[in-house]
Amino acid sequence: MGGNHDLPSLPGYKGEALKILREAEAQAGDLIRIFKDGTSYEGVLMPRSEYGDERHIVIKIRSGYNIGVRVTADTRVEKVGAGAKVTFKPPPPPKQRPNLPRVSILSTGGTIASRVDYRTGAVRPAISAEDLYSIVPELSDIAVIETEVIFSLFSEDLTPKHWTRIAETVAKRIGEGVDGVVITHGTDTMAYTAAALSFALQDLPVPVVLVGAQRSEDRPSSDAALNLIGAVSAAAEAPFAEVVVAMHETVSDNAVAFHRGTKVRKCHTSRRDAFKSVNVNPLARLADGQLTMLTEDYRKRDHDRELTLKPNFDERVALIKFYPGMNPRLIDLYVDLGYRGLILEGTGLGHVGRKCFPSIRKAVERGLIVAMASQCIWGRVNMNVYTNGRDLLALGVIPLGDMLAETALVKLMWALGETDDPEEAKALLRTNMAGEVSARSIYI
Amino acid sequence: MSKQLNYSKIGLLVGLECHQQLATRTKLFCSCKPRLFKGEPKVTFLRRLRPTQSELGQVDPAAYFEFKKGVRILYEADNETSCLVEMDEEPPHPLNPEALEVALTVALMMNAKPVDEIHVMRKTVIDGSNTTGFQRTCVVALNGSIEVEGKAVPIEHISLEEDAARKTGAEGFEIRYRIDRLGIPLIEVTTGPVIQSPREAQRVALAIGRILRATKKVRRGIGTIRQDLNISIRDGALIEIKGVQELELISKVVEYEAKRQLGLLEIRDELKKRGVTEDEIRGEFHNATELFKKTKCRVLRKAINQGKRVLAVKLPKFSGLLGREIAPGMRLGREMADRARFWGRVGGIFHTDELPAYGVTEGEVDRLKRLLKAGPEDAVVFVADTLENAADALRAVVERAKEALRGVPEETRAANPDGTTRYMRPRPGAARMYPETDIPPIQITEEYLQELASRLPELPEEAVKRLMVEYDLNEKLAKQLVDSEYLGLFEDTVRKAQRVSPTVVAATLTETLKALRRDGVDVEEVSDEQILEVFRLVDSGRTTKEAIPEIITWLAEHKDGTVEEAVKELGLTVISGDELRSLVDRVVYENEAVVKERGEGAFGFLMGVIMKRYRGRLDAKVVSELLKERLKSLYRG
Ligand SMILES: [Zn+2]
C-alpha cells in the first residue's frame, strides 16, 4: 500500500478473468455486461481482492450490491460504457484561526490515516491538513495543523530504524517551535514506538502524542475522530511534556485516556479501549472538552527546555518468553547470532526453569546483558523470594522491577544503541529514564 | 375522500421489500442466540456516529445535520443476546451458513438465479440503529419470479442482511437503542415495481410470506416480518414507506399513499392557480414572543415561561391548503410538522388553518397576521422553542412549502399502525453501499445448489393438499396452518402425541393461539418445546385438551415455569381412578330424583352436570363410560 496513484487498470484480476476482461478492453470503473448461461449481468466493473481466485469477475449492479460472476467456457464480456472518473472532493476546509496553538501531525500509517477507494481498491493516506479538517472539522477549533507523511506502513512492518526516523522528525518539528506533535500510528506496535520515543526524546519541552484507531476512519462508528481530537487537544494544550498514547478510555465515545509511553500496552485485539496503562494510572484524560491530570508526577510543558535527541537503537536484543519445556538452546542461538542483550519474560516473580541456567550463564559470560521482566504483565518481579530467583540473580540476571517486558526490550535496544560499553548500558537499564519503572506498586 | 380510486388511471406502481427474520440457531455474523431480552440492560455504552463521505466525497445532509446537533446514542445490551460483534468492538465472524442455506432455498423456490460469488456489503445507516453506522447485507440471488393469481411477479433480489437494533427511547439529543435484535438474520425479497393495486400488493406479500414460511426456518410473532413499500403514481414521486408490520395493513398504506400523492398534486395545481412562486416564499422569521405573553394556550405559555421564543413565518397564498385533508388523517400542515420535528427537534407547529384553537384566540391570530403583514390568502406557521430549534424548524417548514409547489417530494416515510405514514428522512443517495472488507466473498458451487434443489421444501399449495389427505384436516384449517408458521410444530406434535387428534392440534396452533393473542396473552413467550409438552400430557391422559388454553396462558405469564408446574398450579390434573368413580357416585346420588324418574335416560343430564363442574380436569370419554356403567347397575339393581 502507499500513495500509489498509477493504478493498474484491472487491479486484482488474474488468469481467466483477467484474460476475458482484457479481450473486452474493460477497465475497473467501466460499465460492462457479462453474458453466460442464457442470462446477462450488467454493472460497473470492480477491482478484485488480491486474495480472490482467478475465476470470478466482480461487478456493482444497479442497486449498489457487488456480485461475483464466475467465468465459464461460454462467458462473454462486453464493455457498455467507460467509467466516470471519480475524484475525491473534500468539502471546503473550515477557516484557519492563526492565533491557535501550532500542532504538527506526522503520519506513519495504520487504520487511522487511510482511506480506501472502493472503486479501484487502492488505499491512500488521508493526511493532508485539508483531508483531516474535512474529516474532523472540530480540529480547526483546537489548533493550526501542519502535516507530514513520514511513511505509510502497517505498524507490524516497523523496525527500530523507523523509530529513529520518527524521533528525528519529531525533534525537527519541535526545533521549529510547534506547541506539540501528534503521530498517527497503527495500533499493533504503537506501544513499542511510544516506549522508543520516550527514551529517544529526552527533556521534551512539549507533548508528543501517539494516536491510532481500532475502527477505520471511513466508518461512521470509527474511534479515529475522537482519538484525534483528544490527541490534538493534548498536543496543543496539555500541561505535560511527555510521550503519550491517546486512545479511547472505554468502549463509549466520551473520553480519551492518555497513557505514559513507557507504561502502556495493547491489551485487546479489537476493542476501542484496547490500550491500558499497566501498574500505573493513565497520565491524564479528556472528557467533555476538559483535560484532567490523573497524577501529579509528570514533566511539565516548558517551551524553553532544550530537547536532547538520542535516537539510536541496537536491534541485536531479543525478547524471550519462557514457557514450560523451553529448549535452552534457543538462548544459545541468540548468543551464537551475536546478540548483545536478552530480555527474559519469566514466569511469576521472575523465574525460568533451571534447565536454562547453563545457557544463561554462558550468555552472561559472553558479555550479553540479560534482564528479567514478568510475563504476568501486571505486578513487579522480585527474585529474592524463591531459590530459583536468587540463583538467577547470582548468574547476573538484572531484575527490572515493574517494567513492561516490551518496554524493557526497547530500552535495552536503546541503551545499547547509545553506548558500546556494556557496563554503561547496564547502568542505563537500571536507571529510571522515562517513568518506565516506579518504586511503589499502587493498587489500581 | 371515500371514492374508489381508479389505480390504473393514476399510474400506481408498487414494489415490495419483504423482510423476514430467520429462526437460525445463531445470528448472521456472530454466535449469539437470535433472541431479545427484557428488563434492565446489563451493559450500556455511548456512541456518536459521524457521517463519512461516500466515495464521491458527499456527506448525507440529514446525517451530518444530526451529528452537528450533537446527537448521541446510548446502547443497551446484555451478555446473553449480544457480544463484542454487535457492540462494534470485534470484527464480524464469517456469514452464518445456516442462514445462507435458507436464503438459497428461498431463491430456488422463487426460481431466482443464485449469484456465483456472494459479496457482503455495508449499507450506510447512521440513525444509530446499527452500531457500525452501516447495515451488512448481501444479494444472494437475482431475477426470480413467483406467480400470484395468474400473474408473474418478478423478484428482483433475494438478499440476506442483519436486522437492526431496536429503538427503546429518545430524550433530547440522546437516542436509546437495544442491540439484542441487531444481527438477527433477515431475508429480504424485493419485487419489481409491477403491482398495480392495493389489493394486489397485499396478495403478493401473502404469497411471499407463504413461501418463506415453507422453509420452516422463520421466526414468528409481531415484528418478525416487516414490509417496506415503494409506491409511486404518475407525476408523483417514488416514496419508500418503511416498517409495515401487519399484512392486513398493506392495502391501506398503498391506498392512503396514492391518495396522499394525488392530494399533494392537487395542492400543487391550486398553488399554481393562485400564482405562487418559490421566490415569494421568503423564509423571513418574525419574533412573536411578545404577542403571546398573556396567551391562554398552555403549550405556548409553558414555552415562554421557560424562556423560549415564538418564531413565525408567512406562507404566501397558502391559506386553506395546510389544513386540507389529502388522505385520511394526512394534511400538508402535518407534513410540515413532521419536518419541523425532524430538523428542529420541536414538539410541533401551529398554523393559521387550524386556529383559533388550543387556547389561541381569534384576537391573537389577527394580531399575528398583522405582525407578519399576512392577508386572508396567506397562512402563518409558528413554533415555540429555543431560538436555534425554532429557526431550524421554520427553515424546514419553508423548504416543505417550496416543495409543495413542485408536487410530491421524494422521501422515506414510516408507516403508522393506522395505515397513515409520517416523514422519516430524505431518501438516501445511491452511493451508500460499500464492500464489507472484513468478510471474504463466498462462492456458491453448482454441486451445492443441486443438492439444495433436491431437497426443497414443499410449496404452500402442495402442503395444504397433503395436510387434508394425510391428517384429515378440513381445507380451512389446513390453509390456516400453512399460513401460521406452526406447520413444523404441528407435524412434530402429531408424530409425538399420536392419541391427540390432528384436528385438535391444528385448531390449537391456529385458532386457539390467535384467540389468546387477541386477549393479550404473549404467546411468543411459550416455546415450541413447551407446546409439544402440553400435547404430550394430553396424549398420556394427565390433562385434557380443554385445559390447553389455560396452560398456555399460564406459561406465557410465568417465564421460567414448566408445563408440569402449570398443570399443578392450575389444578388441572385429570381426575381418574377411585377419585373419579366416587365423584360420579356423588353426582348420581345428589340427583337421585332425576335418576329415579328417567333411569338410564338421565345420562345426558348427569354428564352435563359433571362436565360443567369439573371442566378441564376430566376425560369425557372415561366419564361417559363410568356413568353409563353406574346407571346400568342402578337401573338393573
Ligand atoms: Zn454476538
Side-chain angles (χ1 to χ4, degrees), chain B residues 205-265:
Chain B
L206 182 68
I208 292 172
R210 276 194 183 129
I211 294 176
L212 294 173
R213 282 190 292 276
T215 63
K216 298 185 184 133
K217 281 285 182 89
V218 298
R219 278 169 59 86
R220 56 179 178 244
I222 193 87
T224 58
I225 186 159
R226 301 192 293 273
Q227 313 277 350
D228 292 351
L229 308 170
N230 295 307
I231 305 173
S232 66
I233 66 167
R234 193 173 304 117
D235 292 336
L238 183 61
I239 298 296
E240 185 183 16
I241 295 173
K242 291 212 160 282
V244 182
Q245 298 209 352
E246 280 174 73
L247 195 71
E248 293 75 33
L249 213 56
I250 291 176
S251 59
K252 207 177 207 179
V253 171
V254 175
E255 179 195 328
Y256 286 7
E257 179 55 24
K259 284 181 174 161
R260 190 186 72 91
Q261 295 200 21
L262 275 180
L264 288 175
L265 292 179

Side-chain angles (χ1 to χ4, degrees), chain B residues 27 30-32 81-86:
Chain B
K27 289 187 179 180
C30 68
S31 297
C32 290
T81 58
S82 61
C83 64
L84 290 185
V85 173
E86 289 92 330

Side-chain angles (χ1 to χ4, degrees), chain A residues 36 48 53 60 63-65 68 70 88 91 118 138 215 219-221 225 251-253 270-272, chain B residues 45-48 50 52-53 55 88-90 116-117 121 131-132 137 139 157 433-435 443-444:
Chain A
K36 68 174 271 196
R48 182 111 178 109
D53 69 5
K60 184 184 273 293
S63 54
Y65 283 99
R70 192 172 302 135
F88 178 78
Y118 289 106
E138 296 95 315
R215 297 286 166 286
R219 303 162 59 130
S221 63
V251 296
S252 287
D253 283 337
S270 58
R271 274 170 63 161
R272 284 164 173 72
Chain B
F45 55 100
L46 204 73
R47 291 280 166 77
R48 295 195 66 192
R50 184 173 283 264
T52 49
Q53 289 165 354
E55 53 234 291
D88 189 38
E89 288 289 348
E90 181 175 308
D116 297 332
E117 191 179 67
M121 307 294 286
T131 48
T132 49
T137 172
V139 58
H157 289 158
M433 204 84 99
Y434 306 82
Q443 290 169 11
I444 307 300

Side-chain angles (χ1 to χ4, degrees), chain A residues 249-268:
Chain A
E249 184 179 60
T250 66
V251 296
S252 287
D253 283 337
N254 55 359
V256 175
F258 301 94
H259 306 277
R260 181 168 275 153
T262 50
K263 291 304 247 184
V264 64
R265 195 173 187 281
K266 187 177 185 182
C267 292
H268 199 278

